[in-house]
C-alpha cells in the first residue's frame, strides 16, 4: 500500500507524461501485497489461485481510493486504466467489524451491571437511553468524585447501545483512561485530531475512510476526561462530524465524559 501511495503522490505532481506505462512497468511490485490482503479478507480460499487480473484490478481500486482522499481520481490521469470491479462492496470494513458484538452477551452484561446501580446511576442511565431511543439529542454532564462509578455507568450505557446492534464509541484523552472504557481509544487516534491544534484545525476523518461508515451507524460517543481536553480538540471534532454527517444537533454530555449523540 505504501508503494501505491507513493505512486499517487507522483501522479499528483502532474509531471508524468504517460502514467499508464509507469503502471504497466511496476504494477507487479505495486500490488505485491494484494494477494495476501484478498486471502486475509476471505474473498478466496487459502489454496485458491487468485486471478492476476483481480490482483491488478484491486491495486487500481486502492490507488484510486488514495487519490480520491487527495482530491483527485484515476480518471484525471488518462489513459490510466480504471478498476472494473466494485471492490468497495466486496471488502469488509475492519473498523465496522470491530464494533460487532454478541447481542446476548451485551444483554447479560447490562442486566448484571444495572442490578448493582445506585439511584443516581439508574437515573442517569435511564435519561441517556431515553434520549438515544427518542433521538432527542440532549447533553448530559454527570459530575462525581473519583471511584463513584462514572466509568462503570458509561460502560453499561455503551453495552446497552451495542445490545441494540448499534455503535457506541468510547474515547478518552489519555491511553490509561481509554483502557478503562470498553473498546476505548484515545480521542486523537479515533478522530485523527492533530497534535498541533489551532482554531482552524480540522479532524482528519474523511468520507472515503473506513471510519465514515462507522460514524454513520454510531448512536453515542462517550468521551472521558473531556474537561482536560483542549477546546480546539472538541471544536475540530464537532465541526468535522457536522460536515460529514450533516447533522446540527448531535451532542450530549456524560460525567467527566463527553458523549456526542448522533441522530
Amino acid at each position: 500500500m505504501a508503494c501505491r501511495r507513493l505512486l499517487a503522490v507522483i501522479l499528483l505532481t502532474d509531471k508524468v507524461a504517460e502514467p499508464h506505462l509507469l503502471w504497466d512497468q511496476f504494477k507487479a511490485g505495486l500490488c505485491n501485497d494484494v494477494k495476501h490482503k484478498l486471502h486475509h479478507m476471505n474473498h478466496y480460499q487459502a489454496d485458491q489461485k487468485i486471478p492476476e487480473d483481480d490482483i491488478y484490478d484491486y491495486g487500481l481500486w486502492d490507488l484510486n481510493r488514495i487519490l480520491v482522499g487527495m482530491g483527485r481520481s484515476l480518471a484525471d490521469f488518462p489513459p490510466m486504466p480504471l478498476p472494473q470491479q466494485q471492490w468497495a462492496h466486496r471488502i469488509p470494513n475492519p473498523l465496522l467489524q470491530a464494533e460487532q458484538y454478541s447481542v446476548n452477551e451485551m444483554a447479560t452484561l447490562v442486566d448484571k451491571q444495572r442490578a448493582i446501580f445506585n439511584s443516581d446511576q439508574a437515573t442517569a442511565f435511564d435519561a441517556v437511553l431515553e434520549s438515544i431511543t427518542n433521538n432527542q439529542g440532549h447533553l448530559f454532564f454527570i459530575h462525581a468524585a473519583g471511584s463513584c462509578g462514572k466509568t462503570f455507568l458509561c460502560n453499561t450505557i455503551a453495552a446497552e447501545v451495542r445490545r441494540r446492534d448499534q455503535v457506541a464509541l468510547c474515547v478518552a484523552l489519555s491511553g490509561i483512561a481509554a483502557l478503562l472504557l470498553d473498546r476505548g481509544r484515545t480521542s486523537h487516534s479515533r478522530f485523527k485530531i492533530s497534535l498541533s491544534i489551532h482554531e482552524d484545525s480540522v479532524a482528519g476523518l474523511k468520507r472515503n475512510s473506513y471510519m465514515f461508515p462507522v460514524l454513520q451507524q454510531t448512536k453515542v460517543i462517550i468521551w472521558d476526561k473531556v474537561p482536560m481536553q483542549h477546546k480546539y480538540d472538541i471544536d475540530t471534532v464537532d465541526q468535522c462530524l457536522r460536515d460529514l454527517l450533516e447533522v446540527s444537533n448531535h451532542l450530549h454530555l456524560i460525567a467527566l465524559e463527553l458523549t456526542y449523540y448522533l441522530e
Side-chain angles (χ1 to χ4, degrees):
M1 181 175 176
C3 292
R4 292 190 291 275
R5 187 172 294 277
L6 175 60
L7 177 58
V9 173
I10 293 173
L11 292 176
L12 289 175
T13 65
D14 289 323
K15 296 185 181 297
V16 182
E18 297 179 311
H20 63 295
L21 296 181
L22 190 64
W23 167 259
D24 288 339
Q25 183 177 354
F26 296 104
K27 62 183 179 182
L30 289 166
C31 299
N32 62 2
D33 64 324
V34 171
K35 182 178 180 180
H36 172 75
K37 189 183 293 288
L38 292 178
H39 275 309
H40 182 70
M41 292 185 298
N42 298 321
H43 280 301
Y44 301 88
Q45 300 297 326
D47 58 349
Q48 182 180 357
K49 180 177 175 61
I50 302 177
E52 195 172 73
D53 288 345
D54 285 3
I55 293 175
Y56 295 147
D57 195 71
Y58 178 90
L60 286 169
W61 173 85
D62 192 49
L63 176 60
N64 186 66
R65 183 185 64 82
I66 295 169
L67 286 169
V68 169
M70 298 176 176
R72 305 288 291 277
S73 73
L74 281 177
D76 297 329
F77 304 98
M80 273 289 288
L82 301 177
Q84 301 301 307
Q85 299 188 45
Q86 298 297 322
W87 291 101
H89 301 296
R90 298 178 58 186
I91 298 174
N93 185 330
L95 297 184
L96 205 52
Q97 286 185 317
E99 297 301 327
Q100 295 176 354
Y101 298 84
S102 167
V103 172
N104 292 333
E105 288 181 6
M106 291 296 103
T108 301
L109 179 63
V110 170
D111 292 341
K112 178 182 177 181
Q113 296 187 172
R114 287 191 67 182
I116 55 177
F117 273 178
N118 59 36
S119 59
D120 290 336
Q121 288 173 322
T123 299
F125 180 89
D126 291 340
V128 172
L129 267 297
E130 180 183 359
S131 177
I132 293 174
T133 302
N134 299 319
N135 290 332
Q136 295 173 350
H138 290 163
L139 293 99
F140 298 88
F141 188 84
I142 304 171
H143 179 69
S147 301
C148 285
K150 300 185 298 297
T151 302
F152 180 78
L153 168 63
C154 288
N155 282 333
T156 309
I157 292 172
E160 173 61 24
V161 172
R162 292 161 179 164
R163 183 189 69 80
R164 302 179 181 190
D165 202 24
Q166 298 169 333
V167 176
L169 298 180
C170 298
V171 300
L173 172 61
S174 68
I176 293 177
L179 288 174
L180 300 177
L181 296 168
D182 291 339
R183 289 290 181 92
R185 294 271 299 275
T186 64
S187 53
H188 286 80
S189 172
R190 176 64 78 183
F191 300 125
K192 311 302 180 187
I193 302 173
S194 173
L195 294 177
S196 301
I197 197 75
H198 53 80
E199 186 175 2
D200 298 321
S201 294
V202 179
L205 299 174
K206 307 294 183 183
R207 286 183 179 272
N208 66 331
S209 68
Y210 282 134
M211 190 61 191
F212 180 61
V214 177
L215 291 173
Q216 288 180 306
Q217 298 188 31
T218 298
K219 295 298 290 185
V220 63
I221 302 175
I222 299 172
W223 197 330
D224 192 11
K225 302 297 182 289
V226 75
M228 300 170 62
Q229 198 103 27
H230 196 289
K231 175 183 181 297
Y232 293 156
D233 291 346
I234 311 299
D235 290 344
T236 189
V237 173
D238 176 50
Q239 187 57 54
C240 185
L241 292 178
R242 292 176 187 272
D243 291 343
L244 289 176
L245 303 175
E246 300 176 355
V247 295
S248 59
N249 188 13
H250 56 272
L251 297 169
H252 70 271
L253 239 54
I254 296 182
L256 295 178
E257 294 79 20
L258 172 64
T259 300
Y260 278 73
Y261 171 69
L262 306 181
E263 292 185 305

